[in-house]
């Protein structure tokens, strides 16, 4: 029997399980998402990001003492070597924001000496989560031509990040919007970015290299870039009165993808999308309100049109409106996704290396020509 007769290729690794996990459970038919058993709606309503960090890295929601240890470690991790911020500053101002973030992380990796897995992995992950806040805040500051800033220690990771980014104070409501965003995007099992991080971890490379692999996979429009792409549609439409005509021309007749819709795992509404929609309803004023109205009309048309294919809004559909309402330009949406997902990436690589490590080395089925005789250059036609 030929090799090709025996082998079945799973395109896009659909329904292939690459690891066991106690981190995140998804029921794609029912639209359920849980972190270590806790429903995402309950966590978004009640838990702060630091509590979710402890839950994901150490297995349980923290008690007061454990929580303050997490906060102390984060607060003491915001500092980065000066050259890291300088690297980001000297790169072209029109660099893609995610590329700037990659550069910042790669610069941090140059300071990483003698990293060894299983020697304080979780503490290392906490340190990286702290430093990613600094890198993300400074993606915005570099893009806007502002002087670099290190987040100041505070009682809240979300607050320190917002204040460093914009150099101003935020209300409790705004800070908790940021906090909710961080909780909602913290993990989602093994999408492309997490899988990329796992491939890198499987070679026993270091954690910063896992981060760089994950971010490069995140930025495409089919994954983390979808939040910005969804928002670009709202901008292009420009006014709620133009949604129907836009949808007919671009989606029905044009056959284009509706960004912020569809998911490999969910066959119903993404539960995170519902939370973001209700958050958008509370923040949206002015321009953001207009984009919300456009999105709501687009959702109605999309859900009806794609009903048979079971394609529904995903988390990226409304999240951008919430972040825009908080004051972020849309170029920051993918870096914000990466800021939050750093937790999921690192929790998965730690779980994998600690408990079930094996080099990830799949196969490709050869379908090219059989054995051929080499022809010297001057004899080739
Ligand atoms: N608009 C129009 N058609 C779609 C869409 C969409 N958003 N999503 C899927 N389809 C259609 C697709 O054309 C195909 O149709 P057919 O069977 O007739 O050829 C069918 O649904 C299956 O699509 P697929 O691309 O094979 O399915 P997938 O599991 O690879 O899709 C996806 C997942 C996320 C790539 C896709 O839904 C998509 O491109 N969505 C738009 C981009 C997006 O919003 N991405 C964010 C994903 S969720 C959060 C995140 O990762 O950031």
């Amino acid at each position: 029997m030929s090799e090709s007769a025996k082998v079945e290729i799973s395109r896009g690794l659909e329904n292939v399980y690459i690891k066991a996990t106690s981190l995140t459970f998804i029921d794609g038919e029912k639209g359920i998402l849980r972190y270590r058993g806790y429903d995402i709606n309950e966590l978004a309503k009640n838990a702060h990001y630091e509590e979710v960090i402890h839950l994901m890295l150490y297995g349980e929601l923290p008690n007061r003492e454990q929580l303050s240890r997490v906060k102390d470690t984060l607060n003491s991790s915001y500092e980065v070597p000066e050259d890291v911020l300088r690297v980001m500053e000297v790169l072209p101002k029109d660099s893609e924001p995610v590329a700037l973030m990659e550069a910042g992380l790669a610069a941090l990796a140059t300071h990483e000496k003698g990293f060894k897995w299983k020697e304080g992995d979780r503490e290392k992950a906490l340190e990286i989560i702290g430093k990613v806040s600094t890198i993300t805040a400074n993606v915005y500051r570099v893009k806007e031509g502002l002087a670099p800033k290190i987040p100041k220690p505070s009682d809240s990771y979300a607050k320190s990040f917002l204040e460093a980014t914009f150099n101003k104070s935020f209300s409790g409501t705004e800070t908790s919007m940021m906090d909710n965003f961080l909780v909602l995007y913290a993990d989602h099992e093994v999408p492309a970015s997490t899988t990329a991080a796992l491939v890198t971890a499987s070679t026993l490379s270091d954690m910063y290299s896992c981060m760089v692999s994950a971010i490069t996979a995140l930025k495409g429009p089919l994954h983390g870039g979808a939040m910005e792409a969804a928002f670009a549609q709202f901008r292009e439409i420009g006014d709620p009165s133009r949604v129907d005509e836009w949808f007919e021309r671009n989606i029905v007749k044009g056959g284009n993808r509706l960004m912020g819709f569809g998911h490999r795992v969910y066959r119903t509404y993404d539960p995170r999308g519902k939370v973001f929609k209700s958050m958008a309803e509370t923040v949206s004023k002015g321009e953001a309100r207009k984009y919300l109205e456009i999105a709501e009309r687009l959702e109605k048309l999309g859900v009806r049109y794609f009903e048979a294919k079971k394609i529904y809004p995903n988390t990226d559909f409304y999240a951008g409106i919430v972040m825009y309402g908080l004051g972020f330009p849309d170029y920051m949406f993918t870096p914000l996704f990466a800021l939050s997902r750093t937790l999921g990436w690192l929790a998965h690589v730690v779980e994998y290396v600690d408990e079930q490590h094996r080099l990830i080395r799949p196969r490709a089925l050869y379908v090219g020509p059989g054995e051929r005789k080499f022809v010297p250059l001057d004899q080739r036609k």
Side-chain angles (χ1 to χ4, degrees), residues 101-117 124-125 128 132 192-218 342 345-346 349 353:
M101 206 169 172
E102 286 160 25
L105 285 161
L108 273 173
T110 64
H111 292 269
E112 185 76 2
K113 302 277 170 356
F115 172 83
K116 285 205 178 71
W117 288 96
K124 183 85 215 166
I128 295 177
V132 166
S193 56
T194 313
T195 302
L198 286 166
V199 170
T200 302
S202 86
T203 69
L204 298 181
S205 178
D206 65 279
M207 268 194 213
Y208 278 111
S209 302
C210 294
M211 288 288 300
V212 174
S213 302
I215 285 188
T216 51
L218 179 77
T342 294
W345 292 331
L346 297 179
V349 297
V353 174

Side-chain angles (χ1 to χ4, degrees), residues 44-59:
K45 211 183 300 159
N46 302 304
H48 293 292
Y49 189 54
E50 296 85 342
E51 293 174 86
V52 174
I53 291 175
H54 191 280
L55 174 69
M56 297 307 255
L57 290 178
Y58 299 97

Side-chain angles (χ1 to χ4, degrees), residues 57-342:
L57 290 178
Y58 299 97
E60 295 296 338
L61 286 168
N63 59 28
R64 283 192 190 284
E65 199 189 312
Q66 291 164 328
L67 182 60
S68 81
R69 267 208 299 275
V70 166
K71 289 185 181 183
D72 287 350
T73 312
L74 292 172
N75 279 329
S76 62
S77 304
Y78 293 139
E79 287 289 341
V80 297
E82 208 188 306
D83 56 26
V84 170
L85 296 175
R86 232 180 306 129
V87 163
M88 292 173 72
E89 273 188 300
V90 298
L91 292 170
K93 290 277 170 293
D94 60 355
S95 303
E96 269 197 51
V98 182
L100 269 182
M101 206 169 172
E102 286 160 25
L105 285 161
L108 273 173
T110 64
H111 292 269
E112 185 76 2
K113 302 277 170 356
F115 172 83
K116 285 205 178 71
W117 288 96
K118 300 195 188 187
E119 288 184 11
D121 292 352
R122 287 163 179 81
E123 291 63 38
K124 183 85 215 166
L126 274 178
E127 182 193 312
I128 295 177
I129 292 168
K131 297 201 183 320
V132 166
S133 169
T134 309
I135 299 290
T136 314
N138 284 289
V139 168
Y140 173 82
R141 298 190 64 78
V142 165
K143 293 291 292 177
E144 299 294 321
L146 302 166
K149 223 169 171 43
I150 307 280
K152 283 206 188 91
S154 82
D155 195 41
S156 155
Y157 182 84
K159 176 177 150 72
S160 295
F161 168 70
L162 280 176
E163 292 184 356
T165 306
F166 296 107
N167 198 23
K168 64 170 192 165
S169 311
F170 282 82
S171 68
T173 313
E174 290 167 324
T175 306
S176 77
M177 287 273 172
M178 186 69 230
D179 198 46
N180 278 345
F181 175 93
L182 293 170
V183 169
L184 286 160
Y185 269 98
D187 190 37
H188 208 239
E189 204 216 60
V190 286
S193 56
T194 313
T195 302
L198 286 166
V199 170
T200 302
S202 86
T203 69
L204 298 181
S205 178
D206 65 279
M207 268 194 213
Y208 278 111
S209 302
C210 294
M211 288 288 300
V212 174
S213 302
I215 285 188
T216 51
L218 179 77
K219 88 170 166 196
L222 299 187
H223 187 10
M227 203 192 317
E228 190 178 336
F231 198 78
Q233 298 170 147
F234 311 149
R235 273 197 197 284
E236 190 187 315
I237 295 170
D239 189 87
S241 64
R242 291 202 280 272
V243 176
D244 292 47
E245 181 275 323
W246 184 93
F247 188 84
E248 183 66 23
R249 181 162 42 86
N250 285 282
I251 308 297
V252 180
K253 296 208 176 100
N256 296 315
R257 290 202 171 209
L258 183 55
M259 304 311 281
F261 256 64
H263 200 276
R264 175 62 66 78
V265 183
Y266 293 117
R267 294 288 170 249
T268 183
Y269 275 87
D270 179 330
R272 301 165 300 173
K274 285 188 190 170
V275 182
F276 277 123
K277 183 178 179 181
S278 64
M279 282 164 71
E281 280 158 1
T282 66
V283 286
S284 298
K285 293 189 222 103
E287 282 276 287
R289 165 63 52 187
K290 185 180 76 181
Y291 294 135
L292 176 63
E293 283 171 26
I294 292 172
E296 285 177 332
R297 177 70 195 150
L298 206 48
E299 178 194 337
K300 274 205 182 75
L301 297 178
V303 168
R304 201 185 310 147
Y305 185 71
F306 291 120
E307 194 182 0
K309 288 190 182 176
K310 298 190 172 177
I311 296 171
Y312 292 89
N314 59 51
T315 186
D316 296 327
F317 196 66
Y318 286 103
I321 300 176
V322 176
M323 289 295 105
Y324 183 76
L326 256 186
F328 286 100
D330 45 3
Y331 69 73
M332 281 301 289
F333 294 172
T334 314
L336 290 169
F337 189 150
L339 171 72
S340 161
R341 187 58 58 85
T342 294

